[in-house]
Amino acid sequence: MIFDQLLYERPNIVEFEEKVNELLGKFDSVNSFEEQFKLIDKINSLRNHVLTMLTIAEIRAQLDISDKKYQEEQKFINKNWPVYEKVVASYYERLIRSTFKEQIRQKYGKQLLNLAEINVNTIGSSVIDKLKRENNLISEYTRLMANAKIEFKGEERNLSQLDKFVSSPDRMLRKQAIEKKYELLEQYENRIDVLFDSLIQVRTQIAKELGYNSFVELGYARLSRVDYGQQEVADFRKMILKYMVPISEKLREKQRIRIGIENLTYYDEEVRFKTGEAILKGDANWMIEKFKTIFQQLSDQPGEIFKLMHENKYMDLTIKENKARGAYATYLCNEKIPYIYANFNGSRKDVKVLAHEFGHAFQMAIFNQNNNIPEYILPTKEACEISSIAMEFLIWPYMEELFGNDAMNYRYSHLEDAIFAMPYRASIDEFQHFIYTNPNLSLVERKKKWIEIEQKYMPYKTTYHHSYLKKGNFWHQQIHLFKFPFYYIDYAMAQICALQIWSIAQIDMYTAWNVYMDICKQGGRLSFLDLLDHSGIASPFREEAFENMINSIDTWFSKND
């Protein structure tokens, strides 16, 4: 069915809770594991219906933030999602203490019980109201960033529309565009600061009430990090500092020389070539048609899935009036089909965004045709990002179809993007650990710490002179800080894994595709480290992964400089 024709009915959360509790009431009294399996299937069917309805509502609310009906539904979600989570936590309690725990492990895999054990204490009746407040604050930030507009070149433009100009080969134009962007953000500086402070306080209160020492521990539990912890992530950041920061600094200096400027500054970062960035040879609709061909050439399955999604409008990719910022892929459980949301602005990064989100969509489509377990729709965050980031690189052989003679410039910039992103992601992660470990810091102290961390991982920024940036505000525009705490480093962990697939593809595309497909076929039934062991990919927590990657990257740039 076409997405626009999907019937949305607000789920009755009270009725959902009653039905699940009735099933859970039978859970301990049944006499066989087969009977418990039937109860699990019924509970998952109820959950999948609720998830499908809430996903439809959330997509439609973000497609048009002026749509009163779906803004009301977003408020409903914010209010009732904690109730849904509380019900699921009760289900997890029954799984953990089940008499037939071993049979559950054998039928559904150990990851289900791992997830139940780590998530069972991420919610409780005493924190429901605070969770609702957290959700409302996140929605307020989303609306604020979507509504923010400023006049530029004779038109009112939002943040996504301004981003199109920051990679212009005309240095004065891009300077004007990015200064307009920071002028706009500066107008909302106080509101963003207050919103973020409120999020820190409410998240800290939730964590304390649930028995955690700080929100850091609760944040890790929410992300279902079952086989590693804070020390491994801290060590990972150290390896980024050791291996990726030097190569990033070296590439920034090459960039400066290549574009012919004396000093690289905040409005030059996105320009990689003197002639400007790689230019797409057509508009968004043209690009989508090209991607149909590209995915079909890559393999039959991605081609068929992309065509199905496009024909049935399970993607909305272009910037529109009143459309919220961002890009993501999600899944409609009952329809057995993914959905892609994006905001194309006509830049080369549209290609990366579509490939990335389709990587998620493809993984969900491949695995979930025969899966009804909500926990397994996607792997945990860092694992699911492998399939999305790797897809960005697996389409490299087809870039001439999109960029013509600029194809190599695109590949060069894309690989640079991957390297430049890792120090930034480490910065965001270290910043989050600091602020949630020290939740009572003043706004000035937080921003001072951001500047210190930023200059540690991205030394080239020390010469930047802009009032908004000098105050330590760059992180204001990073949605993950507000919506998905501690998630952002997952992209860097996945990047190291995906680059290993890229490295294989430089030699043998067939083998790389088979490794990729094997990862997609596992869905969410394996933990992050188990998935890496299964696929033969080196863990990002091992120095070997970095050493091998640096060699591959150096070799590629040496050949293509």
Side-chain angles (χ1 to χ4, degrees):
M1 185 180 288
I2 293 173
F3 178 76
D4 295 345
Q5 296 173 352
L6 290 180
L7 177 65
Y8 170 74
E9 292 180 339
R10 177 184 284 187
N12 187 324
I13 298 297
V14 173
E15 185 179 288
F16 165 74
E17 184 173 14
E18 289 172 351
K19 286 182 177 179
V20 173
N21 285 339
E22 182 183 344
L23 294 168
L24 291 177
K26 300 174 184 177
F27 209 79
D28 296 329
S29 60
V30 295
N31 297 317
S32 70
F33 56 82
E34 286 93 348
E35 290 177 274
Q36 277 201 351
F37 293 165
K38 289 177 183 176
L39 291 172
I40 289 171
D41 288 345
K42 288 178 181 178
I43 290 168
N44 283 339
S45 178
L46 291 169
R47 291 174 65 197
N48 285 333
H49 174 72
V50 171
L51 289 171
T52 301
M53 291 299 109
L54 296 187
T55 301
I56 292 170
E58 195 154 33
I59 292 168
R60 289 177 179 168
Q62 292 176 335
L63 285 171
D64 185 357
I65 60 170
S66 68
D67 186 319
K68 292 181 180 179
K69 174 185 175 180
Y70 285 105
Q71 294 314 305
E72 284 301 312
E73 294 312 299
Q74 183 64 63
K75 290 177 184 176
F76 171 81
I77 294 169
N78 293 346
K79 181 180 178 181
N80 288 282
W81 183 249
V83 180
Y84 170 85
E85 289 186 312
K86 185 188 72 169
V87 174
V88 173
S90 299
Y91 162 63
Y92 287 159
E93 287 174 3
R94 295 305 205 288
L95 289 182
I96 292 165
R97 68 175 194 234
S98 171
T99 308
F100 305 109
K101 194 172 177 179
E102 186 53 41
Q103 286 88 348
I104 290 172
R105 181 180 285 109
Q106 289 174 9
K107 179 174 176 63
Y108 298 106
K110 68 176 183 178
Q111 181 69 348
L112 177 60
L113 291 170
N114 288 343
L115 294 171
E117 287 167 2
I118 200 166
N119 280 288
V120 72
N121 194 38
T122 59
I123 194 165
S125 298
S126 65
V127 298
I128 293 292
D129 286 341
K130 291 183 178 68
L131 289 164
K132 291 175 185 176
R133 173 159 170 72
E134 181 186 6
N135 289 337
N136 286 332
L137 288 166
I138 292 166
S139 291
E140 189 177 342
Y141 172 80
T142 303
R143 285 194 300 273
L144 178 68
M145 300 301 271
N147 282 322
K149 292 176 186 173
I150 197 166
E151 191 277 332
F152 182 68
K153 295 292 177 187
E155 288 183 35
E156 277 228 316
R157 302 181 194 269
N158 60 27
L159 289 163
S160 298
Q161 290 166 327
L162 285 171
D163 282 340
K164 179 179 180 178
F165 297 94
V166 301
S167 56
S168 170
D170 182 333
R171 199 178 191 207
M172 184 55 66
L173 178 61
R174 65 180 184 258
K175 181 177 187 289
Q176 291 169 348
I178 205 160
E179 287 185 346
K180 275 290 180 184
K181 178 179 179 178
Y182 290 138
E183 180 186 335
L184 176 57
L185 287 169
E186 204 154 19
Q187 292 175 16
Y188 295 103
E189 179 182 1
N190 184 60
R191 285 180 66 186
I192 295 171
D193 283 338
V194 170
L195 269 171
F196 191 55
D197 185 69
S198 299
L199 277 168
I200 292 168
Q201 301 313 319
V202 76
R203 283 169 175 161
T204 299
Q205 291 165 11
I206 292 166
K208 296 286 187 181
E209 286 192 36
L210 291 174
Y212 295 95
N213 291 319
S214 74
F215 179 72
V216 180
E217 294 175 359
L218 175 56
Y220 272 55
R222 284 181 174 184
L223 289 169
S224 302
R225 292 178 173 172
V226 299
D227 46 10
Y228 64 92
Q230 293 180 52
Q231 187 57 57
E232 286 83 357
V233 175
D235 290 342
F236 177 67
R237 292 197 304 267
K238 288 177 185 174
M239 285 190 279
I240 288 178
L241 195 60
K242 178 179 178 180
Y243 289 100
M244 305 312 297
V245 170
I247 192 170
S248 174
E249 291 295 302
K250 183 170 71 174
L251 287 171
R252 284 296 185 191
E253 177 59 12
K254 283 187 174 184
Q255 176 190 3
R256 182 193 68 77
I257 295 167
R258 194 165 62 242
I259 64 177
I261 57 175
E262 187 174 346
N263 295 299
L264 190 76
T265 191
Y266 57 91
Y267 48 84
D268 298 316
E269 284 192 12
E270 294 302 318
V271 179
R272 307 297 169 74
F273 299 95
K274 205 167 189 175
T275 53
E277 66 176 0
I279 302 295
L280 284 162
K281 302 304 179 186
D283 62 11
N285 290 328
W286 173 88
M287 189 178 88
I288 291 165
E289 291 301 316
K290 286 293 182 182
F291 262 100
K292 285 182 185 177
T293 304
I294 288 169
F295 287 132
Q296 193 66 52
Q297 288 175 292
L298 187 61
S299 185
D300 288 342
Q301 284 176 299
E304 290 163 5
I305 291 166
F306 186 82
K307 183 182 177 185
L308 175 71
M309 290 177 65
H310 180 248
E311 288 177 351
N312 291 283
K313 298 185 179 180
Y314 284 87
M315 52 179 76
D316 192 291
L317 306 175
T318 54
I319 296 172
K320 297 181 180 72
E321 188 75 17
N322 297 316
K323 183 177 175 182
R325 295 187 84 206
Y328 61 83
T330 188
Y331 192 73
L332 297 157
C333 309
N334 287 353
E335 305 303 318
K336 294 283 186 185
I337 192 166
Y339 186 98
I340 295 176
Y341 179 102
N343 279 279
F344 287 174
N345 60 16
S347 73
R348 67 173 173 84
K349 289 191 176 181
D350 291 347
V351 171
K352 175 184 173 180
V353 168
L354 183 51
H356 182 100
E357 300 309 339
F358 183 71
H360 284 309
F362 179 68
Q363 178 271 306
M364 288 187 274
I366 286 293
F367 177 74
N368 287 298
Q369 290 306 308
N370 299 307
N371 172 58
N372 291 308
I373 302 173
E375 288 78 8
Y376 288 177
I377 291 170
L378 276 168
T380 49
K381 301 294 188 186
E382 72 294 268
C384 80
E385 293 301 341
I386 299 173
S387 57
S388 58
I389 296 172
M391 182 63 86
E392 298 173 23
F393 289 102
L394 288 169
I395 64 168
W396 266 24
Y398 312 103
M399 289 302 93
E400 276 75 12
E401 295 185 31
L402 293 164
F403 294 102
N405 293 334
D406 285 341
M408 187 52 74
N409 284 7
Y410 172 82
R411 295 184 189 105
Y412 197 101
S413 299
H414 181 214
L415 187 54
E416 280 187 329
D417 288 342
I419 294 158
F420 293 153
M422 278 189 263
Y424 174 59
R425 286 170 176 155
S427 301
I428 291 288
D429 191 65
E430 189 164 319
F431 181 57
Q432 289 182 100
H433 279 81
F434 180 77
I435 58 178
Y436 284 112
T437 305
N438 303 280
N440 296 319
L441 292 173
S442 69
L443 294 173
V444 172
E445 288 171 319
R446 283 182 199 141
K447 293 182 181 185
K448 184 179 177 183
K449 188 64 179 180
W450 169 257
I451 293 170
E452 177 190 321
I453 293 170
E454 183 181 58
Q455 292 181 356
K456 170 182 168 183
Y457 287 99
M458 294 169 284
Y460 67 91
K461 291 194 174 194
T462 55
T463 59
Y464 286 8
H465 296 288
H466 189 286
S467 59
Y468 185 75
L469 300 177
K470 295 291 275 188
K471 283 190 285 184
N473 284 327
F474 186 85
W475 54 271
H476 276 177
Q477 58 198 305
Q478 192 57 60
I479 191 172
H480 299 77
L481 275 168
F482 297 83
K483 193 171 183 179
F484 307 112
F486 297 105
Y487 179 6
Y488 206 50
I489 196 68
D490 291 20
Y491 291 100
M493 291 190 277
Q495 194 95 57
I496 295 296
C497 302
L499 282 169
Q500 293 178 59
I501 298 174
W502 163 79
S503 182
I504 296 168
Q506 302 310 298
I507 302 163
D508 184 352
M509 186 65 178
Y510 177 80
T511 300
W513 178 251
N514 285 338
V515 171
Y516 178 80
M517 278 295 290
D518 188 52
I519 288 171
C520 290
K521 286 177 180 177
Q522 304 312 312
R525 67 184 190 86
L526 297 176
S527 70
F528 178 50
L529 296 182
D530 282 348
L531 180 65
L532 299 186
D533 284 344
H534 173 85
S535 62
I537 292 174
S539 165
F541 304 135
R542 288 164 49 191
E543 208 148 356
E544 164 199 341
F546 281 85
E547 290 169 345
N548 292 343
M549 202 46 51
I550 292 299
N551 289 335
S552 295
I553 289 166
D554 280 342
T555 299
W556 192 89
F557 278 120
S558 295
K559 284 181 180 177
N560 295 287
D561 257 342

